[in-house]
Every structure is written in structure tokens, then in C-alpha cells.
Amino acid sequence: MRSTHIGRVDLNLIPPLVALLEEQQVSRAAERVGLSQPAMSRSLQRLRRLLDDPLLIRDASGYRLTARAESVRIQLLTVLPQLETLFAPEHFDPQKATTPVHLVASDYAVRAFGPAICHGVLRQSSAPVRFHSWGHDNVAEQIRASGVDLGLFGGYATAELHSEELLVERFVCVVAADHALAENDGITLADYAGARHVVVDVHDGIQPDIDLPLKKLGHPRQAAVTVPYHAVAAQLLPGTDLIATLPSQCVNTLVSLGEFRVIDAPEEVATMTYRMVWHPAFDNDARHQWLRAVVRKAIRQVTAANTVRPGVTPTR
């Protein structure tokens, strides 16, 4: 953007210029913008030098605009409303919104919270919603480079992104209805470490919020099967002695035919802080603030409505 002349212009001169061109009299123009008459006279002199034109000249009836001043006055009729819009506080009306909403999330988040989020967005706007899968590269780069509005993200929060905690998710163990532990309320760490597991490849082939704490404790899991999706993990359980450790809100989305039972995970299995994350460039964006409010409300509604109790069959 080139600005050959604007760099030498004091924008504080615009209100006096408008007042002078419309009032065509120094004292009335000064009163209109709250300046003293000497201050307005000085502004007029500065404007004359800036525009290289007298602007106001005397005639028999007082003052009149020069041809240049009249031309400037007409141009300001278009320019001033544009300047008002440019510097006015940003306003966003969801009902007029058509810009697509881009969210990046795991299948867990889409299953657990996607319906409520979509309902919130589509009820208030005409903006289409698109969910993207998390990439295996840098999360901040994915959000910055791909035009994603928000990420729904568990675990650590990178300093490159801004975030807000949405809930502290707890993990539960899901087993087949005829599993040896199906009637138990929970499982000890020793039994858990000795069992065979279905592991969800959240990142680098593991579930970091489960496997990293267990590794530090010296009780790594035995991965009998590793899958890319949370929902697939549950479908592999019937007829096996496998254990799937899943976020509780994910378990709420299982369509049950009496195939599964839910038990408490060992106390040593960490909970997961779940966040929405976004690029700092969106902090004060009115549209983005609206979207964050929609997501925040949707997830609070879902978590308030769903509670998985150990020892019961998940239902939907």
C-alpha cells in the first residue's frame, strides 16, 4: 500500500476542515468542533498550506468556498463515512454471517461435541461448518497456515496459541459386556498394566495423556491393537479381553446394544484438560469471539447433560 501524500497529513485537521467547509465561517466552525476561534484560525492556515489553496475567500455576503474547497467538500461526503466505518468498533451480526467456520478436532471431539456446536452455529447464522482432522505436524502451524478458526485440543497448550480451558475430561475403561472385569467398579494399576489394550493413535502411536504418565511410573501399557479413531476402539472390544481407555464424553456417544461396560480407570491414569485453541490474531475479532462463545456454550451443555457412571452400560 503506497501513501505518497497521506504521511504528511495530520488527521486531526479533518474535523476542522469539515466544519469550515460546511459552516463557511471561522467562529461557527470553532464552536462546532469545540475549539477556540484563534485555534480554528490556526487550523485554517495549516489547511491552506497543506492544500495549497485559500479554501475560504471573502465576498459581499461573507465567505464562500473556492473551487478546490468545493471539490474537497464533495469528496468528503464519500470519504468520511468510509473513515467512520474504518475506525468504528467492529460489529458482527451472526445472522448475516456466511463465512465458513473451520474447526480442527479429533473424532472424539466431533462425536462428543460436534452436534451441539453445529446446532449453535447454524441456529444463529448461515455459516457452513467444516471439521478438519488434526495433522501430525506442528499444531500452531496447522492453525496459522490452513485458515482454521479454532482447534479442540486435549493435553498441553503450546505458547504459540491462545487457549481456554473447556473441561477437565476423565478417562474411563470400556470392556466387553462379558469381560472378566465387567462387574467391577474399577481396575487396579497392576491389573491394568498386565492387561491387553486397544490404544488410540492420538499422537505418535499413543494416547499421550494416558501413556506418558504411565511410562513415568514404570507401568507402560501393552498395545494389542492400535487404531486411528476413538470410536473404532470400542467396536473392537466385543468377544475379546481387550480394554479401551477413552474420554468419558466419547463413551457417551457409543450406540449400545448391551455390548459394553464402563469401569473406572486406575487413579494413576491422568485426566485430560480439554481446550479450545486459536491463533492470537483472532483475540479481538468480533466474529471469532462469537464463535468461541458458541463452542463454549455447546460443550458446557453437553458435559452438563452427560455423565458416565462406572458399572453401567453406556446408552445414548
PDB file of all heavy atoms in Angstrom, residues 274-296:
ATOM      1  N   TYR A 274      -9.101 -30.262  28.531  1.00  0.00           N
ATOM      2  CA  TYR A 274      -9.522 -30.083  27.138  1.00  0.00           C
ATOM      3  C   TYR A 274      -9.770 -28.610  26.883  1.00  0.00           C
ATOM      4  O   TYR A 274     -10.450 -27.935  27.655  1.00  0.00           O
ATOM      5  CB  TYR A 274     -10.776 -30.909  26.839  1.00  0.00           C
ATOM      6  CG  TYR A 274     -10.839 -31.327  25.394  1.00  0.00           C
ATOM      7  CD1 TYR A 274     -10.009 -32.329  24.911  1.00  0.00           C
ATOM      8  CD2 TYR A 274     -11.687 -30.691  24.502  1.00  0.00           C
ATOM      9  CE1 TYR A 274     -10.028 -32.706  23.576  1.00  0.00           C
ATOM     10  CE2 TYR A 274     -11.726 -31.072  23.168  1.00  0.00           C
ATOM     11  CZ  TYR A 274     -10.894 -32.074  22.720  1.00  0.00           C
ATOM     12  OH  TYR A 274     -10.908 -32.441  21.397  1.00  0.00           O
ATOM     13  N   ARG A 275      -9.218 -28.121  25.772  1.00  0.00           N
ATOM     14  CA  ARG A 275      -9.214 -26.689  25.494  1.00  0.00           C
ATOM     15  C   ARG A 275      -9.697 -26.400  24.087  1.00  0.00           C
ATOM     16  O   ARG A 275      -9.683 -27.272  23.216  1.00  0.00           O
ATOM     17  CB  ARG A 275      -7.795 -26.116  25.627  1.00  0.00           C
ATOM     18  CG  ARG A 275      -7.136 -26.283  26.970  1.00  0.00           C
ATOM     19  CD  ARG A 275      -5.705 -25.765  26.918  1.00  0.00           C
ATOM     20  NE  ARG A 275      -5.067 -25.758  28.227  1.00  0.00           N
ATOM     21  CZ  ARG A 275      -4.399 -26.780  28.732  1.00  0.00           C
ATOM     22  NH1 ARG A 275      -4.258 -27.893  28.027  1.00  0.00           N
ATOM     23  NH2 ARG A 275      -3.865 -26.695  29.931  1.00  0.00           N
ATOM     24  N   MET A 276     -10.087 -25.155  23.878  1.00  0.00           N
ATOM     25  CA  MET A 276     -10.148 -24.652  22.517  1.00  0.00           C
ATOM     26  C   MET A 276      -8.943 -23.742  22.355  1.00  0.00           C
ATOM     27  O   MET A 276      -8.574 -23.001  23.264  1.00  0.00           O
ATOM     28  CB  MET A 276     -11.459 -23.915  22.218  1.00  0.00           C
ATOM     29  CG  MET A 276     -11.820 -22.752  23.099  1.00  0.00           C
ATOM     30  SD  MET A 276     -13.403 -22.024  22.527  1.00  0.00           S
ATOM     31  CE  MET A 276     -13.777 -20.928  23.899  1.00  0.00           C
ATOM     32  N   VAL A 277      -8.303 -23.851  21.194  1.00  0.00           N
ATOM     33  CA  VAL A 277      -7.081 -23.094  20.932  1.00  0.00           C
ATOM     34  C   VAL A 277      -7.245 -22.317  19.631  1.00  0.00           C
ATOM     35  O   VAL A 277      -7.963 -22.751  18.718  1.00  0.00           O
ATOM     36  CB  VAL A 277      -5.843 -24.018  20.857  1.00  0.00           C
ATOM     37  CG1 VAL A 277      -5.567 -24.657  22.196  1.00  0.00           C
ATOM     38  CG2 VAL A 277      -6.029 -25.100  19.807  1.00  0.00           C
ATOM     39  N   TRP A 278      -6.614 -21.165  19.571  1.00  0.00           N
ATOM     40  CA  TRP A 278      -6.726 -20.325  18.383  1.00  0.00           C
ATOM     41  C   TRP A 278      -5.485 -19.456  18.236  1.00  0.00           C
ATOM     42  O   TRP A 278      -4.691 -19.300  19.172  1.00  0.00           O
ATOM     43  CB  TRP A 278      -7.982 -19.455  18.454  1.00  0.00           C
ATOM     44  CG  TRP A 278      -7.988 -18.444  19.571  1.00  0.00           C
ATOM     45  CD1 TRP A 278      -7.533 -17.147  19.524  1.00  0.00           C
ATOM     46  CD2 TRP A 278      -8.451 -18.642  20.914  1.00  0.00           C
ATOM     47  NE1 TRP A 278      -7.694 -16.535  20.745  1.00  0.00           N
ATOM     48  CE2 TRP A 278      -8.262 -17.419  21.612  1.00  0.00           C
ATOM     49  CE3 TRP A 278      -9.024 -19.725  21.583  1.00  0.00           C
ATOM     50  CZ2 TRP A 278      -8.616 -17.263  22.946  1.00  0.00           C
ATOM     51  CZ3 TRP A 278      -9.372 -19.565  22.926  1.00  0.00           C
ATOM     52  CH2 TRP A 278      -9.174 -18.348  23.584  1.00  0.00           C
ATOM     53  N   HIS A 279      -5.330 -18.905  17.065  1.00  0.00           N
ATOM     54  CA  HIS A 279      -4.189 -18.026  16.809  1.00  0.00           C
ATOM     55  C   HIS A 279      -4.432 -16.675  17.480  1.00  0.00           C
ATOM     56  O   HIS A 279      -5.560 -16.158  17.474  1.00  0.00           O
ATOM     57  CB  HIS A 279      -3.997 -17.834  15.300  1.00  0.00           C
ATOM     58  CG  HIS A 279      -2.657 -17.281  14.941  1.00  0.00           C
ATOM     59  ND1 HIS A 279      -2.356 -15.936  15.035  1.00  0.00           N
ATOM     60  CD2 HIS A 279      -1.520 -17.888  14.515  1.00  0.00           C
ATOM     61  CE1 HIS A 279      -1.102 -15.739  14.673  1.00  0.00           C
ATOM     62  NE2 HIS A 279      -0.572 -16.902  14.348  1.00  0.00           N
ATOM     63  N   PRO A 280      -3.394 -16.063  18.075  1.00  0.00           N
ATOM     64  CA  PRO A 280      -3.567 -14.772  18.750  1.00  0.00           C
ATOM     65  C   PRO A 280      -4.134 -13.671  17.857  1.00  0.00           C
ATOM     66  O   PRO A 280      -4.718 -12.706  18.359  1.00  0.00           O
ATOM     67  CB  PRO A 280      -2.142 -14.412  19.204  1.00  0.00           C
ATOM     68  CG  PRO A 280      -1.437 -15.714  19.296  1.00  0.00           C
ATOM     69  CD  PRO A 280      -2.026 -16.592  18.241  1.00  0.00           C
ATOM     70  N   ALA A 281      -3.984 -13.819  16.527  1.00  0.00           N
ATOM     71  CA  ALA A 281      -4.519 -12.800  15.620  1.00  0.00           C
ATOM     72  C   ALA A 281      -6.033 -12.669  15.741  1.00  0.00           C
ATOM     73  O   ALA A 281      -6.606 -11.647  15.356  1.00  0.00           O
ATOM     74  CB  ALA A 281      -4.144 -13.141  14.170  1.00  0.00           C
ATOM     75  N   PHE A 282      -6.701 -13.701  16.278  1.00  0.00           N
ATOM     76  CA  PHE A 282      -8.156 -13.684  16.389  1.00  0.00           C
ATOM     77  C   PHE A 282      -8.657 -13.205  17.748  1.00  0.00           C
ATOM     78  O   PHE A 282      -9.870 -13.213  17.992  1.00  0.00           O
ATOM     79  CB  PHE A 282      -8.723 -15.086  16.129  1.00  0.00           C
ATOM     80  CG  PHE A 282      -8.583 -15.551  14.709  1.00  0.00           C
ATOM     81  CD1 PHE A 282      -7.969 -16.765  14.422  1.00  0.00           C
ATOM     82  CD2 PHE A 282      -9.066 -14.800  13.662  1.00  0.00           C
ATOM     83  CE1 PHE A 282      -7.850 -17.216  13.120  1.00  0.00           C
ATOM     84  CE2 PHE A 282      -8.943 -15.239  12.356  1.00  0.00           C
ATOM     85  CZ  PHE A 282      -8.339 -16.451  12.084  1.00  0.00           C
ATOM     86  N   ASP A 283      -7.758 -12.814  18.639  1.00  0.00           N
ATOM     87  CA  ASP A 283      -8.169 -12.471  20.007  1.00  0.00           C
ATOM     88  C   ASP A 283      -9.333 -11.494  20.059  1.00  0.00           C
ATOM     89  O   ASP A 283     -10.309 -11.702  20.782  1.00  0.00           O
ATOM     90  CB  ASP A 283      -6.989 -11.884  20.781  1.00  0.00           C
ATOM     91  CG  ASP A 283      -6.105 -12.960  21.389  1.00  0.00           C
ATOM     92  OD1 ASP A 283      -6.446 -14.145  21.272  1.00  0.00           O
ATOM     93  OD2 ASP A 283      -5.067 -12.606  21.978  1.00  0.00           O
ATOM     94  N   ASN A 284      -9.235 -10.408  19.324  1.00  0.00           N
ATOM     95  CA  ASN A 284     -10.222  -9.340  19.414  1.00  0.00           C
ATOM     96  C   ASN A 284     -11.176  -9.294  18.225  1.00  0.00           C
ATOM     97  O   ASN A 284     -11.921  -8.324  18.061  1.00  0.00           O
ATOM     98  CB  ASN A 284      -9.503  -7.985  19.552  1.00  0.00           C
ATOM     99  CG  ASN A 284      -8.651  -7.925  20.805  1.00  0.00           C
ATOM    100  OD1 ASN A 284      -9.079  -8.333  21.877  1.00  0.00           O
ATOM    101  ND2 ASN A 284      -7.427  -7.423  20.670  1.00  0.00           N
ATOM    102  N   ASP A 285     -11.157 -10.328  17.409  1.00  0.00           N
ATOM    103  CA  ASP A 285     -12.039 -10.382  16.246  1.00  0.00           C
ATOM    104  C   ASP A 285     -13.467 -10.690  16.700  1.00  0.00           C
ATOM    105  O   ASP A 285     -13.704 -11.683  17.401  1.00  0.00           O
ATOM    106  CB  ASP A 285     -11.539 -11.465  15.285  1.00  0.00           C
ATOM    107  CG  ASP A 285     -12.425 -11.574  14.054  1.00  0.00           C
ATOM    108  OD1 ASP A 285     -12.331 -10.689  13.189  1.00  0.00           O
ATOM    109  OD2 ASP A 285     -13.209 -12.535  13.983  1.00  0.00           O
ATOM    110  N   ALA A 286     -14.424  -9.841  16.321  1.00  0.00           N
ATOM    111  CA  ALA A 286     -15.799  -9.993  16.807  1.00  0.00           C
ATOM    112  C   ALA A 286     -16.419 -11.311  16.366  1.00  0.00           C
ATOM    113  O   ALA A 286     -17.129 -11.965  17.138  1.00  0.00           O
ATOM    114  CB  ALA A 286     -16.649  -8.815  16.321  1.00  0.00           C
ATOM    115  N   ARG A 287     -16.165 -11.708  15.116  1.00  0.00           N
ATOM    116  CA  ARG A 287     -16.695 -12.986  14.639  1.00  0.00           C
ATOM    117  C   ARG A 287     -16.127 -14.135  15.451  1.00  0.00           C
ATOM    118  O   ARG A 287     -16.854 -15.073  15.826  1.00  0.00           O
ATOM    119  CB  ARG A 287     -16.363 -13.173  13.156  1.00  0.00           C
ATOM    120  CG  ARG A 287     -16.670 -14.571  12.616  1.00  0.00           C
ATOM    121  CD  ARG A 287     -16.233 -14.705  11.152  1.00  0.00           C
ATOM    122  NE  ARG A 287     -16.283 -16.090  10.706  1.00  0.00           N
ATOM    123  CZ  ARG A 287     -15.293 -16.968  10.882  1.00  0.00           C
ATOM    124  NH1 ARG A 287     -14.173 -16.589  11.498  1.00  0.00           N
ATOM    125  NH2 ARG A 287     -15.411 -18.211  10.445  1.00  0.00           N
ATOM    126  N   HIS A 288     -14.842 -14.074  15.723  1.00  0.00           N
ATOM    127  CA  HIS A 288     -14.199 -15.162  16.454  1.00  0.00           C
ATOM    128  C   HIS A 288     -14.657 -15.197  17.905  1.00  0.00           C
ATOM    129  O   HIS A 288     -14.813 -16.287  18.495  1.00  0.00           O
ATOM    130  CB  HIS A 288     -12.680 -15.005  16.380  1.00  0.00           C
ATOM    131  CG  HIS A 288     -11.945 -16.293  16.562  1.00  0.00           C
ATOM    132  ND1 HIS A 288     -11.576 -16.768  17.799  1.00  0.00           N
ATOM    133  CD2 HIS A 288     -11.534 -17.228  15.663  1.00  0.00           C
ATOM    134  CE1 HIS A 288     -10.941 -17.918  17.656  1.00  0.00           C
ATOM    135  NE2 HIS A 288     -10.907 -18.229  16.374  1.00  0.00           N
ATOM    136  N   GLN A 289     -14.884 -14.045  18.500  1.00  0.00           N
ATOM    137  CA  GLN A 289     -15.398 -14.013  19.863  1.00  0.00           C
ATOM    138  C   GLN A 289     -16.778 -14.665  19.932  1.00  0.00           C
ATOM    139  O   GLN A 289     -17.086 -15.383  20.891  1.00  0.00           O
ATOM    140  CB  GLN A 289     -15.457 -12.570  20.358  1.00  0.00           C
ATOM    141  CG  GLN A 289     -14.078 -11.963  20.603  1.00  0.00           C
ATOM    142  CD  GLN A 289     -14.139 -10.484  20.926  1.00  0.00           C
ATOM    143  OE1 GLN A 289     -15.112  -9.800  20.601  1.00  0.00           O
ATOM    144  NE2 GLN A 289     -13.102  -9.971  21.562  1.00  0.00           N
ATOM    145  N   TRP A 290     -17.588 -14.406  18.909  1.00  0.00           N
ATOM    146  CA  TRP A 290     -18.901 -15.061  18.835  1.00  0.00           C
ATOM    147  C   TRP A 290     -18.738 -16.574  18.720  1.00  0.00           C
ATOM    148  O   TRP A 290     -19.420 -17.334  19.424  1.00  0.00           O
ATOM    149  CB  TRP A 290     -19.674 -14.523  17.629  1.00  0.00           C
ATOM    150  CG  TRP A 290     -20.834 -15.384  17.223  1.00  0.00           C
ATOM    151  CD1 TRP A 290     -22.051 -15.474  17.833  1.00  0.00           C
ATOM    152  CD2 TRP A 290     -20.867 -16.312  16.122  1.00  0.00           C
ATOM    153  NE1 TRP A 290     -22.842 -16.396  17.183  1.00  0.00           N
ATOM    154  CE2 TRP A 290     -22.144 -16.921  16.131  1.00  0.00           C
ATOM    155  CE3 TRP A 290     -19.955 -16.669  15.129  1.00  0.00           C
ATOM    156  CZ2 TRP A 290     -22.526 -17.878  15.178  1.00  0.00           C
ATOM    157  CZ3 TRP A 290     -20.333 -17.620  14.186  1.00  0.00           C
ATOM    158  CH2 TRP A 290     -21.598 -18.207  14.213  1.00  0.00           C
ATOM    159  N   LEU A 291     -17.842 -17.036  17.848  1.00  0.00           N
ATOM    160  CA  LEU A 291     -17.634 -18.461  17.649  1.00  0.00           C
ATOM    161  C   LEU A 291     -17.148 -19.119  18.936  1.00  0.00           C
ATOM    162  O   LEU A 291     -17.613 -20.215  19.305  1.00  0.00           O
ATOM    163  CB  LEU A 291     -16.628 -18.697  16.520  1.00  0.00           C
ATOM    164  CG  LEU A 291     -16.261 -20.158  16.236  1.00  0.00           C
ATOM    165  CD1 LEU A 291     -17.505 -20.966  15.878  1.00  0.00           C
ATOM    166  CD2 LEU A 291     -15.227 -20.232  15.112  1.00  0.00           C
ATOM    167  N   ARG A 292     -16.227 -18.495  19.639  1.00  0.00           N
ATOM    168  CA  ARG A 292     -15.743 -19.065  20.894  1.00  0.00           C
ATOM    169  C   ARG A 292     -16.875 -19.185  21.907  1.00  0.00           C
ATOM    170  O   ARG A 292     -16.964 -20.173  22.643  1.00  0.00           O
ATOM    171  CB  ARG A 292     -14.596 -18.215  21.454  1.00  0.00           C
ATOM    172  CG  ARG A 292     -13.362 -18.189  20.563  1.00  0.00           C
ATOM    173  CD  ARG A 292     -12.107 -17.810  21.324  1.00  0.00           C
ATOM    174  NE  ARG A 292     -12.126 -16.503  21.926  1.00  0.00           N
ATOM    175  CZ  ARG A 292     -11.664 -15.379  21.346  1.00  0.00           C
ATOM    176  NH1 ARG A 292     -11.188 -15.420  20.095  1.00  0.00           N
ATOM    177  NH2 ARG A 292     -11.678 -14.234  21.978  1.00  0.00           N
ATOM    178  N   ALA A 293     -17.757 -18.201  21.920  1.00  0.00           N
ATOM    179  CA  ALA A 293     -18.896 -18.264  22.838  1.00  0.00           C
ATOM    180  C   ALA A 293     -19.828 -19.413  22.480  1.00  0.00           C
ATOM    181  O   ALA A 293     -20.361 -20.098  23.366  1.00  0.00           O
ATOM    182  CB  ALA A 293     -19.657 -16.933  22.817  1.00  0.00           C
ATOM    183  N   VAL A 294     -20.035 -19.639  21.185  1.00  0.00           N
ATOM    184  CA  VAL A 294     -20.894 -20.745  20.745  1.00  0.00           C
ATOM    185  C   VAL A 294     -20.290 -22.083  21.167  1.00  0.00           C
ATOM    186  O   VAL A 294     -20.984 -22.951  21.712  1.00  0.00           O
ATOM    187  CB  VAL A 294     -21.085 -20.709  19.214  1.00  0.00           C
ATOM    188  CG1 VAL A 294     -21.754 -21.989  18.722  1.00  0.00           C
ATOM    189  CG2 VAL A 294     -21.931 -19.500  18.813  1.00  0.00           C
ATOM    190  N   VAL A 295     -18.997 -22.265  20.924  1.00  0.00           N
ATOM    191  CA  VAL A 295     -18.326 -23.521  21.277  1.00  0.00           C
ATOM    192  C   VAL A 295     -18.331 -23.712  22.793  1.00  0.00           C
ATOM    193  O   VAL A 295     -18.610 -24.812  23.299  1.00  0.00           O
ATOM    194  CB  VAL A 295     -16.888 -23.533  20.729  1.00  0.00           C
ATOM    195  CG1 VAL A 295     -16.103 -24.725  21.271  1.00  0.00           C
ATOM    196  CG2 VAL A 295     -16.906 -23.554  19.205  1.00  0.00           C
ATOM    197  N   ARG A 296     -18.047 -22.659  23.524  1.00  0.00           N
ATOM    198  CA  ARG A 296     -18.023 -22.736  24.992  1.00  0.00           C
ATOM    199  C   ARG A 296     -19.386 -23.185  25.536  1.00  0.00           C
ATOM    200  O   ARG A 296     -19.475 -24.086  26.367  1.00  0.00           O
ATOM    201  CB  ARG A 296     -17.660 -21.357  25.540  1.00  0.00           C
ATOM    202  CG  ARG A 296     -17.490 -21.294  27.044  1.00  0.00           C
ATOM    203  CD  ARG A 296     -17.229 -19.868  27.488  1.00  0.00           C
ATOM    204  NE  ARG A 296     -16.088 -19.269  26.792  1.00  0.00           N
ATOM    205  CZ  ARG A 296     -16.192 -18.191  26.006  1.00  0.00           C
ATOM    206  NH1 ARG A 296     -17.369 -17.606  25.775  1.00  0.00           N
ATOM    207  NH2 ARG A 296     -15.105 -17.705  25.432  1.00  0.00           N
TER     208      ARG A 296
END
